[in-house]
Short mmCIF file of all heavy atoms in Angstrom, two decimals:
data_model
loop_
_atom_site.label_atom_id
_atom_site.label_comp_id
_atom_site.label_asym_id
_atom_site.label_seq_id
_atom_site.Cartn_x
_atom_site.Cartn_y
_atom_site.Cartn_z
N ALA A 253 50.14 173.55 76.82
CA ALA A 253 51.34 174.25 76.37
C ALA A 253 51.44 174.31 74.86
O ALA A 253 51.09 173.36 74.16
CB ALA A 253 52.58 173.56 76.94
N ALA A 254 51.96 175.42 74.36
CA ALA A 254 52.34 175.53 72.96
C ALA A 254 53.75 174.96 72.80
O ALA A 254 54.45 174.71 73.79
CB ALA A 254 52.29 176.99 72.52
N LEU A 255 54.16 174.77 71.56
CA LEU A 255 55.49 174.21 71.28
C LEU A 255 56.27 175.16 70.38
O LEU A 255 55.75 175.67 69.38
CB LEU A 255 55.37 172.85 70.59
CG LEU A 255 56.68 172.21 70.11
CD1 LEU A 255 57.55 171.83 71.30
CD2 LEU A 255 56.41 171.00 69.23
N LEU A 256 57.54 175.38 70.74
CA LEU A 256 58.48 176.10 69.88
C LEU A 256 59.43 175.06 69.32
O LEU A 256 60.37 174.64 69.98
CB LEU A 256 59.24 177.16 70.68
CG LEU A 256 60.32 177.95 69.94
CD1 LEU A 256 59.74 178.65 68.71
CD2 LEU A 256 60.99 178.96 70.87
N PRO A 257 59.19 174.58 68.08
CA PRO A 257 60.01 173.51 67.52
C PRO A 257 61.38 174.01 67.07
O PRO A 257 61.60 175.22 66.91
CB PRO A 257 59.18 173.02 66.34
CG PRO A 257 58.37 174.21 65.94
CD PRO A 257 58.09 174.98 67.20
N LEU A 258 62.29 173.08 66.87
CA LEU A 258 63.66 173.43 66.51
C LEU A 258 63.75 174.32 65.28
O LEU A 258 64.49 175.31 65.27
CB LEU A 258 64.49 172.17 66.28
CG LEU A 258 65.08 171.47 67.51
CD1 LEU A 258 65.83 170.22 67.08
CD2 LEU A 258 66.00 172.40 68.28
N ALA A 259 63.02 173.98 64.23
CA ALA A 259 63.12 174.74 62.99
C ALA A 259 62.75 176.20 63.21
O ALA A 259 63.41 177.12 62.70
CB ALA A 259 62.22 174.12 61.92
N GLU A 260 61.69 176.43 63.97
CA GLU A 260 61.26 177.80 64.25
C GLU A 260 62.25 178.49 65.18
O GLU A 260 62.61 179.66 64.99
CB GLU A 260 59.87 177.78 64.87
CG GLU A 260 59.25 179.15 65.06
CD GLU A 260 57.83 179.07 65.58
OE1 GLU A 260 57.23 177.98 65.49
OE2 GLU A 260 57.32 180.09 66.07
N LEU A 261 62.71 177.77 66.21
CA LEU A 261 63.67 178.34 67.15
C LEU A 261 64.93 178.81 66.44
O LEU A 261 65.44 179.91 66.70
CB LEU A 261 64.03 177.29 68.21
CG LEU A 261 65.19 177.63 69.16
CD1 LEU A 261 64.76 178.74 70.12
CD2 LEU A 261 65.65 176.41 69.93
N ARG A 262 65.43 177.99 65.53
CA ARG A 262 66.70 178.29 64.87
C ARG A 262 66.60 179.38 63.82
O ARG A 262 67.61 179.75 63.21
CB ARG A 262 67.28 177.01 64.31
CG ARG A 262 67.77 176.09 65.43
CD ARG A 262 68.27 174.76 64.95
NE ARG A 262 68.78 173.98 66.08
CZ ARG A 262 69.15 172.70 66.00
NH1 ARG A 262 69.09 172.06 64.83
NH2 ARG A 262 69.59 172.07 67.08
N ALA A 263 65.40 179.91 63.63
CA ALA A 263 65.27 181.11 62.80
C ALA A 263 65.84 182.32 63.53
O ALA A 263 66.05 183.37 62.92
CB ALA A 263 63.82 181.34 62.42
N GLY A 264 66.08 182.19 64.84
CA GLY A 264 66.72 183.26 65.59
C GLY A 264 65.89 183.78 66.74
O GLY A 264 64.72 183.43 66.89
N PRO A 265 66.52 184.64 67.58
CA PRO A 265 65.82 185.16 68.76
C PRO A 265 64.54 185.91 68.44
O PRO A 265 63.58 185.85 69.22
CB PRO A 265 66.86 186.10 69.39
CG PRO A 265 68.18 185.59 68.91
CD PRO A 265 67.93 185.08 67.52
N GLU A 266 64.50 186.61 67.29
CA GLU A 266 63.29 187.36 66.97
C GLU A 266 62.12 186.42 66.74
O GLU A 266 61.00 186.68 67.18
CB GLU A 266 63.53 188.23 65.72
CG GLU A 266 64.55 189.33 65.91
CD GLU A 266 65.98 188.84 65.80
OE1 GLU A 266 66.19 187.65 65.43
OE2 GLU A 266 66.90 189.63 66.07
N ALA A 267 62.37 185.30 66.04
CA ALA A 267 61.31 184.33 65.80
C ALA A 267 60.87 183.68 67.10
O ALA A 267 59.67 183.44 67.33
CB ALA A 267 61.78 183.27 64.81
N ALA A 268 61.82 183.38 67.98
CA ALA A 268 61.48 182.78 69.27
C ALA A 268 60.67 183.77 70.12
O ALA A 268 59.70 183.38 70.79
CB ALA A 268 62.74 182.35 70.01
N ALA A 269 61.06 185.04 70.09
CA ALA A 269 60.31 186.05 70.83
C ALA A 269 58.90 186.18 70.29
O ALA A 269 57.93 186.37 71.06
CB ALA A 269 61.03 187.40 70.75
N ALA A 270 58.74 186.05 68.98
CA ALA A 270 57.41 186.11 68.38
C ALA A 270 56.55 184.95 68.87
O ALA A 270 55.35 185.11 69.13
CB ALA A 270 57.51 186.09 66.86
N ALA A 271 57.16 183.77 69.02
CA ALA A 271 56.42 182.61 69.54
C ALA A 271 55.98 182.85 70.98
O ALA A 271 54.88 182.45 71.38
CB ALA A 271 57.29 181.36 69.44
N MET A 272 56.83 183.51 71.76
CA MET A 272 56.47 183.83 73.14
C MET A 272 55.32 184.82 73.18
O MET A 272 54.36 184.66 73.95
CB MET A 272 57.68 184.39 73.89
CG MET A 272 58.82 183.40 74.07
SD MET A 272 60.26 184.16 74.89
CE MET A 272 61.48 182.84 74.69
N ARG A 273 55.38 185.84 72.32
CA ARG A 273 54.29 186.82 72.27
C ARG A 273 52.99 186.15 71.85
O ARG A 273 51.92 186.46 72.39
CB ARG A 273 54.65 187.95 71.30
CG ARG A 273 55.73 188.90 71.82
CD ARG A 273 55.77 190.17 70.99
NE ARG A 273 56.14 189.88 69.60
CZ ARG A 273 57.39 189.86 69.15
NH1 ARG A 273 58.39 190.10 69.97
NH2 ARG A 273 57.62 189.63 67.87
N GLU A 274 53.07 185.25 70.88
CA GLU A 274 51.86 184.57 70.42
C GLU A 274 51.25 183.72 71.53
O GLU A 274 50.03 183.71 71.72
CB GLU A 274 52.21 183.69 69.21
CG GLU A 274 51.01 182.96 68.62
CD GLU A 274 51.37 182.14 67.40
OE1 GLU A 274 52.48 182.32 66.86
OE2 GLU A 274 50.54 181.31 66.98
N ALA A 275 52.11 183.01 72.28
CA ALA A 275 51.60 182.19 73.38
C ALA A 275 50.96 183.07 74.46
O ALA A 275 49.92 182.72 75.02
CB ALA A 275 52.73 181.36 73.97
N LEU A 276 51.58 184.22 74.74
CA LEU A 276 51.01 185.14 75.71
C LEU A 276 49.66 185.66 75.24
O LEU A 276 48.69 185.69 76.01
CB LEU A 276 51.98 186.32 75.94
CG LEU A 276 53.15 186.09 76.88
CD1 LEU A 276 54.20 187.18 76.71
CD2 LEU A 276 52.68 186.03 78.32
#
Side-chain angles (χ1 to χ4, degrees):
L255 174 67
L256 177 57
L258 277 178
E260 186 176 344
L261 171 70
R262 290 176 177 172
E266 295 80 7
M272 294 177 189
R273 288 195 297 270
E274 182 178 346
L276 279 165

